[in-house]
Amino acid sequence: MSEITAEQVAHLAHLARIDLSPEEIANLTADLGQIVDSVAKVTAVATPDVPATSHPMPLTNVYREDVVVPSLTVEQALSGAPARDGDKFRVPAILDEE
């Protein structure tokens, strides 16, 4: 078991201005203890011959071919627009600019 105490958790909560109940302090003491113990286990097996990794499996990018396909006509795209200005959507101005 780690050396995290309830007094340390209460002190840290006080420094962070977090109001914790005695039950929350007890729960956090146990949780933080488990975290410290887990880190200690990983540190124990992380020898110089074990390379550091950020992911358990290698990441690769998956690309697809950029293929031109038919898309909507201007009329189809603007068919559901509440307002339009020629071939464009008309939207309310959000700035006092032209």
Side-chain angles (χ1 to χ4, degrees):
M1 187 72 181
S2 75
E3 299 175 15
I4 302 290
T5 65
E7 291 76 25
Q8 290 172 322
V9 173
H11 179 67
L12 288 173
H14 173 72
L15 291 175
R17 301 187 192 289
I18 300 172
D19 187 23
L20 296 176
S21 68
E23 181 181 313
E24 291 171 318
I25 291 173
N27 289 339
L28 282 173
T29 301
D31 291 345
L32 290 172
Q34 285 182 330
I35 292 169
V36 170
D37 290 342
S38 297
V39 169
K41 288 178 187 175
V42 170
T43 304
V45 298
T47 60
D49 59 326
V50 176
T53 58
S54 61
H55 299 285
M57 297 178 5
L59 298 178
T60 58
N61 286 330
V62 178
Y63 296 105
R64 66 171 174 81
E65 292 296 321
D66 190 12
V67 180
V68 177
V69 296
S71 68
L72 299 175
T73 65
V74 173
E75 287 304 317
Q76 290 171 325
L78 295 173
S79 65
R84 63 187 281 184
D85 182 9
D87 290 345
K88 302 175 194 81
F89 290 98
R90 182 165 186 81
V91 296
I94 57 170
L95 302 173
D96 290 331
E97 299 177 2
E98 279 293 316

